Structures are given as C-alpha cells and as structure tokens.
Amino acid sequence: MSEQTEHNQPGVVIVGAGMAGVQTAVALREQGFDGPLTLLGAEPHQPYDRPPLSKAVLLGKAEDSAFDVDFEGLGIELRLGTEVTGLRAADRELDTEAGPVPYGVLVLATGAEPLTLPGTEGVPGVHLLRTLDDAARLRPVLAAAPSTVVVGAGWIGAEFATAAREAGCAVTVVEAADRVLAGALPAEVAQPMARWYGEAGAELITGAKVAGIEEGRVLLADGRTLPAGAVVVGIGARPATGWLAGTGVERGTDGSVTADAHLRTSLPGVYAVGDCASFPSGRYGKRLLVHHWDNALQGPRTVAANILAGAGAAGAAGEVYDPVPYFWSEQFGRFVQYAGHHGGADTLLWRGDPAGAAWSVCWLRAGALVAVLAVGRPRDVAQGRKLIEAAVPLDPSKVADPATPLKSATA
C-alpha cells in the first residue's frame, strides 16, 4: 500500500523537473504507483538533461536536450513555469504563484544553482551556464569567438574552456586556488591535468582572485587586467533550497536537505533526492553531497521504492540508498571518469603514465578499493565500481600494473 492510498490524500508531488524529478516520476510509474502524480518545474521548457548544455547545445550541435519521456502517456501532470515559494507541512501544501498545491507525499528534487561572483550581476558579458536559457544566450556569443575568460578551473570550468576553444575563442582560465581541481583531487593527481589547458591553447592562471568584472575586461586582485569579450563563471554550485528556510525541513551548513538513508527528510511524507540532498553513506562512513548526473539517476529508484513501500510509516524499514558515486567529464579531448570517494583512503596507486593519453589512479583503504579516477581507461572505472561495491582486498602490485585488468587484482 502506498502512502498516498494509506492516507487518502492527494498523490505524489515532485518539486523540480530536472533529472532527479523526472526520474522519480518515471520510477514511480514503472514500479506500479497508479495514484495522482504531479511534477512541478520552475522553467517553462519541457524537462531536459543538463550535461549536453556545456557541449552539444552550447556549440550549436543540438537545439535542446529534452528528455524522451511521454508524460501524458504515463499520467504525469506536468506543471511548467511553476516556481514553488513555500512549504506548509502542517497543511501538506506547497505555495506557488499560481496558488497552493496539496500533496500526500512530497519529493524535493530542486537541484543546485550556480554560485555567482559578487558584484557581477547585471554586468554585460558575464554568463553562467546552468539552464537551457543560459546556453541559448551564450551560444551566439561563443560563435562570434570573442576573447573569453573562464573563472574557475574545476570540472565545469574545464568543460567551459573546452567548448570555448572548440568555438575558436582565445581562452584564459582564472583560478583562485593554486591549482586546478583544488577542491576535488589531491595535488599530485590534478597536476598532470593542468597541462591539458596549455596543450589545448588555453592560458591558465592559478592563485589569482578576481577583484571585479567590467564590461570587456576582468580585473585581478594583483592588478592585472584581462581583456574579455565574454566571461563565463564556473565556480561551483549550491543546493537550491533557500525556499525551504523556516519550513521544518532540516538542512546542513552547505544548504543541502539532510536526508536519511532512505532519502526521507525530517518531515513526514517528504523525501529529497539529487543535487539538493545529502545522504549518509554507510560504505564511506560519512554524509555525502553528490552534485552529479548519476546520483540524480540512481536516487529516484530508491525514493520510488520507499514511497510505494510506505517507508516512513511506523516500523517500515525501506530501501537504503548507498551508491558508489560516479561522474564523468569530457574536457580537452579526454574522457575523465571517477567512481567512489577517496576521502579517508590510505594508499594512492597510479596505473600508467600521467603524461600519456590514458592513465588511472586508484585509492585504497585497508587494502580495499574505495575510489578510482580514469583518463581514457573506461574499463578501470567499470571494473573498479564493482570492486568498490564488493570491498574485497586487492594486491597493490597488481593494481599498479596497468597491463593487469583491475578485476584480476584481487589479493
């Protein structure tokens, strides 16, 4: 019996029509939920996938990246252009500009919003890339091939720089930290990736803070001025949860909704999934906030199963969400993949020469694989994910031999 039927209330309402929201709706139908199902999206566009925005859509190789989902056929009521402004748990109602929306079960899937540089709002030529509208605004700019400054040398900054170079722009990447991917990878692992910028014809400036942006130029804190026909800001994102302040939904210091192992929130009948929610990982012994596509694909299946099972009702155990995090990044002609979580690892092993075209890094803890980063070695990630899930002891000498398949590196 589902919670919707049990409480004889309005059905499931999902806030957010990105990957996590759409996949939750689809998973509910696939798993047999036949009650009312409403998907609320703040944007006016048909729900779409985000990864193509920084590649195919931005470079004019595709007009959009709409999901191939028959919402009408699945009986999913799609309300687009509907921004949710509040949640009143006592009434089981959402507030929107179009009026209140009652719910029986609520799923929060509002994703993340990009961080902005203070003082740059309204400055001509400054762009973020999070939405289809952002891509539509930026595409003709890059097509004109202006000198472009990318702020941020993380994963998204590297993808921006890659697209801008492919469009024929002169590119300068400015990073406040002293190296690329400072918040994501150890220095020794990120170091070879810094060389990719120069090889692609992009200038990389690290240890440089942006003091201000004016039309046509970027001012650095050390006094340098960079010409900029376009500025693209890629300095990270935060959970889009500000509207939940004062609602009783517990959030962490990072703004993420604090979900439990079943992806339930602190409010009865309210779940959270995707970029807006953190979850406790039993595998890694810490709470994880994963801002990646795969998390928005996998989590909804757990949410759907728990809604259908009535998880949250007294005595209901529910399905536990404890994935091996995974993501990929296409940058400077390379396919980079990462699986796991390397925090807490005690051993780092290289597979192959980082100066070459294909190499991997493996992190072990107490002899078992906990994370793998692969550049042009997709089998290492495919096999590594299974080894991480199995938590079996590995032979470090075999792991460090790039000619030995990872699946054959067990001790």
Side-chain angles (χ1 to χ4, degrees):
M1 179 182 289
S2 72
E3 288 191 37
Q4 181 269 334
T5 307
E6 185 178 340
H7 296 295
N8 193 30
Q9 289 184 327
V12 177
V13 175
I14 302 166
V15 183
M19 170 64 85
V22 168
Q23 289 298 325
T24 299
V26 171
L28 280 164
R29 289 298 188 230
E30 287 180 343
Q31 294 181 30
F33 178 76
D34 58 4
L37 183 51
T38 304
L39 185 61
L40 305 177
E43 293 182 54
H45 308 289
Q46 195 73 6
Y48 59 88
D49 203 3
R50 292 191 191 277
L53 294 184
S54 62
K55 307 173 188 74
V57 176
L58 188 59
L59 294 172
K61 298 175 181 177
E63 283 305 308
D64 60 36
S65 53
F67 292 116
D68 184 18
V69 174
D70 182 1
F71 294 100
E72 188 175 351
L74 289 172
I76 299 168
E77 182 184 355
L78 199 55
R79 297 192 198 175
L80 302 175
T82 303
E83 186 167 354
V84 178
T85 56
L87 163 61
R88 288 174 286 109
D91 300 324
R92 290 215 175 198
E93 278 190 343
L94 294 165
D95 290 321
T96 77
E97 292 179 354
V101 176
Y103 67 85
V105 176
L106 177 63
V107 180
L108 305 175
T110 48
E113 55 196 6
L115 296 172
T116 58
L117 278 174
T120 61
E121 289 182 26
V123 177
V126 179
H127 299 268
L128 298 168
L129 182 55
R130 184 70 185 179
T131 68
L132 190 59
D133 288 339
D134 291 338
R137 281 189 291 267
L138 190 51
R139 183 163 65 184
V141 173
L142 291 190
S147 57
T148 301
V149 173
V150 176
V151 183
W155 299 114
I156 192 67
E159 292 189 5
F160 287 162
T162 299
R165 284 298 298 139
E166 192 171 330
C169 303
V171 176
T172 302
V173 180
V174 177
E175 169 57 51
D178 61 359
R179 57 189 176 86
V180 304
L181 294 163
L185 294 173
E188 63 185 299
V189 178
Q191 185 178 8
M193 302 166 98
R195 293 195 293 266
W196 300 349
Y197 289 77
E199 292 170 5
E203 182 183 2
L204 173 65
I205 304 175
T206 56
K209 289 186 170 61
V210 173
I213 299 177
E214 300 172 355
E215 186 171 4
R217 61 181 190 160
V218 174
L219 312 175
L220 301 184
D222 61 10
R224 281 180 287 179
T225 299
L226 306 174
V231 179
V232 184
V233 179
I235 55 174
R238 61 169 171 251
T241 60
W243 66 281
L244 290 169
T247 62
V249 174
E250 182 184 339
R251 294 182 296 158
T253 55
D254 55 12
S256 65
V257 175
T258 306
D260 69 6
H262 311 291
L263 298 181
R264 302 176 302 213
T265 74
S266 55
L267 293 180
V270 181
Y271 296 77
V273 66
D275 288 8
C276 72
S278 65
F279 58 90
S281 171
R283 186 189 317 279
Y284 291 105
K286 66 175 296 183
R287 180 166 287 276
L288 299 180
L289 174 61
V290 181
H291 278 187
H292 294 299
W293 187 89
D294 191 67
N295 179 52
L297 176 68
Q298 305 293 343
R301 297 168 188 165
T302 299
V303 168
N306 287 336
I307 289 173
L308 282 159
E319 187 175 302
V320 170
Y321 186 61
D322 194 8
V324 174
Y326 166 79
F327 74 89
W328 78 95
S329 176
E330 294 178 71
Q331 50 184 267
F332 307 119
R334 294 166 173 85
F335 188 49
V336 184
Q337 294 171 281
Y338 178 96
H341 176 72
H342 65 265
D346 53 42
T347 304
L348 186 154
L349 298 170
W350 292 86
R351 286 170 61 80
D353 182 359
W359 49 275
S360 298
V361 175
C362 292
W363 286 269
L364 278 63
R365 185 178 65 216
L369 188 69
V370 291
V372 57
L373 170 86
V375 177
R377 290 178 64 97
R379 285 182 182 169
D380 281 358
V381 170
Q383 295 175 15
R385 288 178 84 172
K386 294 176 181 176
L387 289 172
I388 294 169
E389 288 171 354
V392 292
L394 301 183
D395 181 336
S397 63
K398 292 179 182 176
V399 172
D401 178 9
T404 300
L406 263 185
K407 64 182 180 182
S408 303
T410 51

